[in-house]
Amino acid sequence: MRQLNFLLIFSFGLATVMFTLENTTPTTVRFLPGVSATLPLAAMMLVVGGIGATAAWVFAVWTGVVKKVEQLQEQTELEAQQVRIRELEEDVQRYRATVDAQLSLLPAAGESSAPTPEPQLEQT
């Protein structure tokens, strides 16, 4: 893999040198009315490439910052949800205890408050 990286970097560097040697013609660049600069074409291309690389780097940094802020917000929301879940679980336990206490006060199913006679067994 290192050889491949070296080959790519070397090829790009060699192409840049060849481009610079072949394009030494002065070129005038007008930025604003009355503001211009004369540079060799290769130098201008290198400056523009540098500006583009810097802009790409700034965009990558900005994207990373935005992603980090979003992660922090999601983490805060997740923590708030966890707290809310704990509160709801406590409420459920409290309600369950209340219902169990109330159920223990009720007579059992099939029982009445009047005493029932015991069934008599028939003898054969």
Side-chain angles (χ1 to χ4, degrees):
M1 190 61 151
R2 290 183 183 207
Q3 291 86 5
L4 181 62
N5 286 342
F6 174 76
L7 183 64
L8 288 173
I9 292 170
F10 181 77
S11 299
F12 183 72
L14 185 61
T16 303
V17 168
M18 294 297 294
F19 180 80
T20 303
L21 291 175
E22 293 295 323
N23 294 291
T24 57
T25 309
T27 304
T28 302
V29 179
R30 291 180 181 79
F31 300 105
L32 296 171
V35 180
S36 63
T38 302
L39 296 169
L41 180 62
M44 181 186 65
M45 295 295 288
L46 290 174
V47 168
V48 168
I51 292 170
T54 303
W57 177 76
V58 168
F59 179 73
V61 168
W62 177 255
T63 303
V65 168
V66 168
K67 195 176 287 188
K68 187 70 170 177
V69 168
E70 288 174 352
Q71 286 176 350
L72 289 174
Q73 287 176 344
E74 288 174 1
Q75 184 178 3
T76 303
E77 290 174 4
L78 181 63
E79 290 172 358
Q81 288 175 349
Q82 292 296 331
V83 168
R84 182 69 178 141
I85 288 171
R86 254 184 262 114
E87 291 172 352
L88 291 172
E89 286 174 346
E90 291 171 2
D91 287 347
V92 166
Q93 291 298 326
R94 215 174 321 117
Y95 294 143
R96 189 172 286 153
T98 303
V99 167
D100 288 343
Q102 290 175 352
L103 284 176
S104 66
L105 297 176
L106 293 175
E111 289 184 14
S112 66
S113 57
T116 57
E118 293 187 22
Q120 296 180 355
L121 296 174
E122 291 182 25
Q123 296 179 348
T124 53

